Amino acid sequence: MVDDNNFADGNRTRRGLLRTTGGTLAALIGCAGIGAAASDDDGDGDDVGPTTAEATVIKRFRPSDDDEHFYLEKRAISPTFKRRFGGPVLTYEPEPVPREAIPEKYTDPDRPFTRQYRDELVVGTLEDHLEAEKPAETDGTDEVRTQTQYYDGPKYVYESASGAEDQDIYERTGPINVAWGTSVDKTASQLQSYMENRDWQEHWTMPGSGSRYILYDGQAQAQDEHIYKEIYYTRQWHIRVYDVSVDSSTDSIQVIGNAHRDPLDHNLIGDDPWYFNDARDEAMNDWESWNRSSEYVFGGGTRWETHDGNVGVIYE
């Protein structure tokens, strides 16, 4: 099944484009409930670290000409965006949505439809998020680690975007919650093959998955592989995995991942929980059945209701 991110050109680094619109867009802003005072909030743009903003998210779906996809046109609106990024409206590039994920009432016959909801978004430039992920500063002396368990790798995954004045913007979308030690001795690609041979396989009816990025070595890095396990034809476990080299109290880490449960529409239409803990534990339990060990190490990032902040480290 084709990855959504590869729909146009097969380039795994192709990103969903997010632009900051500085125009009036009066009708759009009005329907989101943002008044004139918001447009006067210019700010100085000198804040450091990502911005947490209450936003109105508007998703419009329209049929494509190929009878296989709809296209998602998405906007997020908040006065905070104007202060930080130069305009109150963030507009995503149209994204293909497989037809099987669209509710039947909109496909017989095909017709456009809109979803609108409020959401709390954590957005910022690469530098903003790097600031948030870096270890706490010390007093200049060598840091002495006092905790018995630790994980020093990337903490989150991000959706990539572009904002006002063409600066890169990233939205935090999930935690890193599973990792494989060097003692397992497998790259992300080798993990995918190993797990596919042990019933971690996607169902043919599930739409493909887009890319998410980690911050590693000061750069944004897309997933190296997707690993899936069918639950039912409308649900699956899904892990985006990334090759890294980082430390933990359990083992040096070779691969990290964001494990979650996908609904059929990948939440492009709905708003189901991602079940981060359950997906992580599904992977850990299977690896233990394959004669490996695992343990929880606290990694932080507990803003999601279905994530307890722990990274499940799998090792020999």
Side-chain angles (χ1 to χ4, degrees):
M1 187 168 293
V2 177
D3 186 304
D4 286 354
N5 195 58
N6 300 340
F7 180 79
D9 55 16
N11 179 359
R12 82 176 181 92
T13 62
R14 179 175 178 266
R15 301 178 303 179
L17 187 64
L18 178 62
R19 298 192 183 279
T20 304
T21 304
T24 59
L25 293 176
L28 185 61
I29 295 173
C31 75
I34 297 178
S39 64
D40 295 331
D41 181 14
D42 292 325
D44 56 17
D46 292 335
D47 295 345
V48 177
T51 294
T52 300
E54 285 289 336
T56 297
V57 179
I58 300 173
K59 295 180 176 179
R60 179 171 174 79
F61 300 83
R62 58 176 177 82
S64 67
D65 295 331
D66 61 10
D67 294 327
E68 294 182 2
H69 293 81
F70 275 55
Y71 279 95
L72 167 60
E73 299 168 342
K74 176 182 172 183
R75 291 179 172 87
I77 306 170
S78 172
T80 304
F81 299 152
K82 180 173 179 61
R83 181 175 61 83
R84 286 301 307 271
F85 309 122
V89 182
L90 303 181
T91 303
Y92 291 81
E93 183 180 64
E95 180 178 3
V97 182
R99 185 184 182 85
E100 57 264 34
I102 301 296
E104 185 177 353
K105 63 182 178 179
Y106 300 116
T107 61
D108 187 20
D110 286 355
R111 59 190 178 93
F113 64 100
T114 301
R115 291 282 189 268
Q116 178 175 321
Y117 56 90
R118 296 284 293 174
D119 199 4
E120 184 180 81
L121 307 181
V122 180
V123 295
T125 63
L126 178 66
E127 291 74 18
D128 289 333
H129 290 296
L130 286 170
E131 179 71 20
E133 288 212 20
K134 74 179 184 181
E137 294 184 1
T138 65
D139 59 4
T141 61
D142 291 338
E143 180 180 0
V144 177
R145 190 182 299 279
T146 58
Q147 64 267 40
T148 58
Q149 292 186 328
Y150 64 89
Y151 162 77
D152 282 345
K155 295 180 180 179
Y156 307 107
V157 294
Y158 301 86
E159 185 172 0
S160 177
S162 177
E165 301 177 357
D166 293 327
Q167 79 266 44
D168 288 337
I169 293 182
Y170 296 86
E171 178 185 341
R172 187 185 296 170
T173 59
I176 292 298
N177 59 351
V178 64
W180 287 263
T182 54
S183 59
V184 177
D185 194 26
K186 295 187 188 301
T187 65
S189 179
Q190 291 168 335
L191 283 177
Q192 181 194 51
S193 297
Y194 185 87
M195 294 175 73
E196 282 183 347
N197 289 332
R198 289 159 178 80
D199 296 327
W200 276 73
Q201 298 177 2
E202 65 179 318
H203 195 282
W204 67 272
T205 64
M206 290 291 292
S209 303
S211 283
R212 295 293 181 267
Y213 296 78
I214 60 169
L215 305 185
Y216 181 62
D217 279 348
Q219 302 294 325
Q221 174 182 318
Q223 72 281 330
D224 291 279
E225 300 291 348
H226 296 274
I227 303 175
Y228 303 96
K229 183 180 183 181
E230 178 188 350
I231 303 172
Y232 188 58
Y233 78 95
T234 60
R235 295 184 297 277
Q236 66 184 5
W237 301 118
H238 176 201
I239 312 175
R240 291 183 175 90
V241 287
Y242 307 78
D243 288 317
V244 296
S245 178
V246 298
D247 290 329
S248 81
S249 55
T250 302
D251 195 356
S252 295
I253 302 300
Q254 184 173 0
V255 178
I256 60 175
N258 166 250
H260 56 276
R261 194 184 82 174
D262 285 331
L264 178 62
D265 67 354
H266 291 264
N267 276 339
L268 294 175
I269 302 171
D271 187 26
D272 290 345
W274 289 112
Y275 295 101
F276 294 118
N277 289 346
D278 292 346
R280 173 200 62 203
D281 293 348
E282 182 76 13
M284 294 174 71
N285 290 338
D286 278 355
W287 277 88
E288 288 182 359
S289 75
W290 304 331
N291 299 317
R292 268 69 168 198
S293 300
S294 67
E295 69 176 54
Y296 297 117
V297 176
F298 187 72
T302 56
R303 71 180 295 266
W304 296 274
E305 291 183 359
T306 62
H307 177 55
D308 59 13
N310 287 318
V311 178
V313 179
I314 298 164
Y315 60 98
E316 290 282 5

